[in-house]
Amino acid sequence: MRDNIVNKLILLFVFDKMEIPISEESLIDICTTTNEWMNYVDCTTALNDLLDADFLYITEQLSTRLISITPDGRSCIASFYTRIPSHLRDDINEYISKNRLKYRKRQEYFTDYYRNDDGTYTVWLKIFNTDRPQFELKLLVETRSAAVEMTRKWTSKAAQAYGMLLETLLD
């Protein structure tokens, strides 16, 4: 069984390397399910301890709680990262460098749709820059299948759509 302090340092190291706020769900998935760096109980305990100690803080983006590292958390991990076994640091670095963009897209691109009284659907597309909207678009579509298709494609097409719209409007 790993020391609780090392578990806290692992979480701080993950946040430091990610360089973006991430949801609790994503953090737990990264650390417990995908990589098995710790078990669920140890992860949630360490997370709550770090939040209580103000090494991490929570922001809200729409209805999603995102967690970020504080300057004190960065200072702590800079001083004590060597307490994390080097093979584990290497594993974390490798995983994050390969997957950071995937998690960034999850946090920066938001999409939803809802049914209107007249039977049409409104598709809501957003791009966030840190914790505030950079771009927001609501589109009216005729069918649920069109709304589902747009929300499914948004994460992979958001940057391209935003760039094309900016270029068109600024020409």
Side-chain angles (χ1 to χ4, degrees):
M1 182 149 161
R2 184 178 289 121
D3 180 353
N4 189 34
I5 292 172
V6 174
N7 287 333
K8 291 176 193 176
L9 291 171
I10 290 169
L11 293 184
L12 289 175
F13 194 73
V14 168
F15 277 102
D16 187 56
K17 296 301 173 189
M18 276 297 232
E19 300 175 341
I20 58 167
I22 57 175
S23 68
E24 181 175 350
E25 178 182 283
S26 292
L27 178 69
I28 290 170
D29 176 60
I30 291 167
C31 294
T32 66
T33 308
T34 303
N35 295 291
E36 298 179 359
W37 296 328
M38 64 185 80
N39 67 47
Y40 176 84
V41 172
D42 290 342
C43 185
T44 56
T45 300
L47 177 61
N48 289 325
D49 290 348
L50 291 167
L51 287 165
D52 290 343
D54 293 327
F55 287 137
L56 300 175
Y57 68 97
I58 295 174
T59 57
E60 256 202 57
Q61 194 175 86
L62 293 171
S63 60
T64 304
R65 291 171 27 134
L66 297 178
I67 304 168
S68 299
I69 191 169
T70 66
D72 287 344
R74 285 196 195 283
S75 177
C76 177
I77 195 60
S79 298
F80 299 107
Y81 74 94
T82 56
R83 298 220 17 217
I84 302 169
S86 63
H87 72 280
L88 190 51
R89 286 194 316 260
D90 293 343
D91 191 27
I92 293 168
N93 275 324
E94 182 180 340
Y95 178 80
I96 289 175
S97 68
K98 287 181 181 177
N99 293 284
R100 181 184 299 118
L101 185 57
K102 174 178 79 171
Y103 288 101
R104 175 169 270 161
K105 283 182 178 182
R106 270 191 209 165
Q107 310 303 106
E108 291 181 348
Y109 302 144
F110 169 83
T111 182
D112 198 5
Y113 69 90
Y114 52 88
R115 189 171 192 275
N116 301 311
D117 292 338
D118 66 356
T120 61
Y121 290 82
T122 298
V123 180
W124 190 15
L125 309 169
K126 279 190 174 191
I127 298 174
F128 282 89
N129 185 357
T130 47
D131 62 345
R132 62 185 178 154
Q134 176 178 338
F135 175 77
E136 183 174 355
L137 180 64
K138 287 186 179 180
L139 299 168
L140 189 65
V141 296
E142 294 297 318
T143 65
R144 181 179 180 278
S145 62
V148 168
E149 185 69 11
M150 290 175 82
T151 59
R152 187 182 65 75
K153 289 182 176 178
W154 180 242
T155 300
S156 64
K157 302 283 187 177
Q160 179 184 355
Y162 178 67
M164 190 173 71
L165 183 61
L166 266 181
E167 185 178 309
T168 301
L169 293 174
L170 293 175
D171 268 354

